[in-house]
Amino acid sequence: MKNKSLKPKKMLRWVLGAVLLTIGTMGAFDHFLNGYNPESEGIMLFGDTFRNLHNAIMMSFLGPMIRILHILIGLSLFSRYWFAGLLVHLPIAINIFLIHVVHDLPFANLFFFSMGMFVSISTFILLFLEKGRLKAIIYADRVKRYET
């Protein structure tokens, strides 16, 4: 008989999926209905460098694209394609992590900082727990090159 309890990795994946889906949906609706408004996101609390960087990203095509990607990645984390979703989210997670560590310390808004850290660090943890699959992807290309 199978153990039907949720494993911690699956629970973390589902929580991350729910957070990304929520953040992406709320941000996309707000962005597409009202346009980008820095005051609605609480950006005015942050320093000039962080605020200018965030505004530049969100006012360009990257803002809506990241929000739509968060929705799609959040949905993928509930499906069998969750590993592909994590791979797509990895560059975004690295960016979120570095922006918060470099430009948001000491943090101005605890919730904003903690959500950025949760999203990025949980992505890193889930990918670390699947390091065997990552190695297979990385080394499969090398094996193909040497065989031809």
Side-chain angles (χ1 to χ4, degrees):
M1 186 169 155
K2 284 186 175 181
N3 183 4
K4 296 202 179 210
S5 65
L6 288 176
K7 296 179 181 175
K9 182 170 65 173
K10 187 178 251 187
M11 288 173 43
L12 180 61
R13 180 170 52 106
W14 286 2
V15 170
L16 177 62
V19 168
L20 288 177
L21 194 58
T22 304
I23 289 173
T25 305
M26 287 173 36
F29 275 125
D30 188 45
H31 190 87
F32 293 128
L33 294 177
N34 303 325
Y36 175 67
N37 182 5
E39 292 177 9
S40 70
E41 295 193 15
I43 299 302
M44 305 314 282
L45 299 172
F46 296 92
D48 289 338
T49 305
F50 185 88
R51 189 172 45 228
N52 292 336
L53 183 61
H54 188 271
N55 288 341
I57 291 170
M58 289 302 161
M59 289 193 297
S60 71
F61 72 96
L62 289 174
M65 189 171 95
I66 289 171
R67 290 177 169 153
I68 291 170
L69 273 175
H70 274 154
I71 294 170
L72 296 174
I73 293 165
L75 289 172
S76 76
L77 292 177
F78 293 108
S79 71
R80 65 182 183 154
Y81 301 108
W82 66 272
F83 187 70
L86 277 179
L87 290 178
V88 170
H89 191 249
L90 181 61
I92 299 170
I94 291 170
N95 190 352
I96 291 170
F97 181 80
L98 290 176
I99 284 175
H100 281 287
V101 168
V102 174
H103 295 293
D104 191 21
L105 286 177
F107 50 84
N109 185 334
L110 179 62
F111 179 75
F112 199 76
F113 180 82
S114 61
M115 288 309 294
M117 289 295 106
F118 172 76
V119 165
S120 56
I121 291 173
S122 59
T123 301
F124 302 152
I125 290 171
L126 286 169
L127 283 172
F128 177 76
L129 294 174
E130 293 292 326
K131 62 184 174 231
R133 290 172 87 173
L134 279 174
K135 285 180 184 177
I137 292 171
I138 293 168
Y139 295 128
D141 184 49
R142 291 182 183 172
V143 170
K144 287 180 186 176
R145 271 191 262 153
Y146 292 121
E147 289 177 355
T148 56

